[in-house]
Amino acid sequence: MKKKLDAIYIVSLKKFYKKENELRTYGGFPIYLKMLESKFRKIILIVPKSPLPFESSIKLNNKIYEVKFLPYYSNELLLILKSPIIIFWLLIYLLPAKYVNPRIPDMTGIYGLIISIILKKKIFISIQSDIQELIQSKNFTSRNNFIKYGLKKWLSLYLFLEKNFSRNILCFPQGVALFNRFSSNKKAILWYSTSIKDSFIDKNKKLFNL
């Protein structure tokens, strides 16, 4: 049996809900987490805490997962207002980490990425969608002109940070169009799914710096 690696710390916008001893989330994220279970002895989730349960949710194994909650936000304005607190807790949570997986696009993931670089952690980035494509759309928000302008500036700041701090870091852009934006990064790998197969990690351990 192969020896598992140290704990991996995942910084994500994905909301989690915890009641008593049950940890739950939603969507396809648990499939990604399941893949990591065979490689890491512990998975530390640094995520916003949902104040309410989800209509449809998946229960996670508390023996493998540990959650460190960030302040909950339901929109970008709340994220901006809570950013100082989020950055503070990310710094505290990531100090003992060895491996960090920031998941973007989201400013929380970018904060985690920047802090991990400063702390000299071993990093790989998961990139699920393209904010640049979103803001180039004329109808990217139904808000009025003032709010739309502010949101566009905020997302443009995100893109600036994404571009400059993801350089020369192992990253997995999902889809051809998104990969093309990161083609100058020699460590970017085109990916078609949010999951990573065990066999890929085994054959490419140098990429992951494992």
Side-chain angles (χ1 to χ4, degrees), residues 10-166:
I10 300 177
V11 182
S12 177
L13 60 77
K14 181 70 73 172
K15 276 68 175 178
F16 279 72
Y17 177 76
K18 189 172 186 180
K19 184 177 182 182
E20 297 176 352
N21 203 36
E22 282 196 2
L23 180 63
R24 291 183 172 273
T25 190
Y26 56 94
F29 191 40
I31 299 172
Y32 177 79
L33 295 175
K34 186 70 177 177
M35 177 277 304
L36 293 173
E37 288 181 13
S38 65
K39 298 298 174 185
F40 296 92
R41 61 176 179 79
K42 193 83 174 176
I43 298 174
I44 314 295
L45 301 162
I46 305 177
V47 292
K49 183 178 182 180
S50 174
L52 299 171
F54 312 111
E55 290 185 6
S56 179
S57 63
I58 300 171
K59 182 181 177 182
L60 300 179
N61 185 347
N62 280 344
K63 293 181 180 179
I64 299 173
Y65 297 95
E66 180 181 333
V67 64
K68 296 183 181 295
F69 283 121
L70 297 172
Y72 174 81
Y73 56 90
S74 57
N75 56 59
E76 294 298 313
L77 178 58
L78 282 176
L79 172 56
I80 293 170
L81 295 174
K82 294 183 179 183
S83 283
I85 301 172
I86 291 172
I87 292 170
F88 171 79
W89 283 113
L90 281 170
L91 179 60
I92 297 299
Y93 292 153
L94 290 173
L95 276 173
K98 183 176 181 180
Y99 303 104
V100 183
N101 173 210
R103 292 174 60 84
I104 56 178
D106 179 70
M107 197 63 91
T108 299
I110 290 294
Y111 295 154
L113 171 61
I114 295 171
I115 290 170
S116 298
I117 292 171
I118 292 170
L119 296 176
K120 298 181 179 179
K121 306 300 182 180
K122 295 182 178 180
I123 310 163
F124 67 95
I125 311 168
S126 304
I127 311 172
Q128 271 66 58
S129 58
D130 193 349
I131 291 294
Q132 181 170 286
E133 184 180 5
L134 173 66
I135 64 174
Q136 285 176 345
S137 170
K138 293 181 180 179
N139 301 314
F140 85 96
T141 178
S142 60
R143 300 291 185 177
N144 63 41
N145 289 338
F146 177 75
I147 296 176
K148 184 176 182 178
Y149 175 81
L151 180 58
K152 196 166 186 176
K153 288 297 182 183
W154 170 248
L155 295 178
S156 295
L157 172 61
Y158 163 84
L159 286 171
F160 173 81
L161 296 174
E162 177 192 76
K163 177 181 178 181
N164 286 279
F165 285 96
S166 63

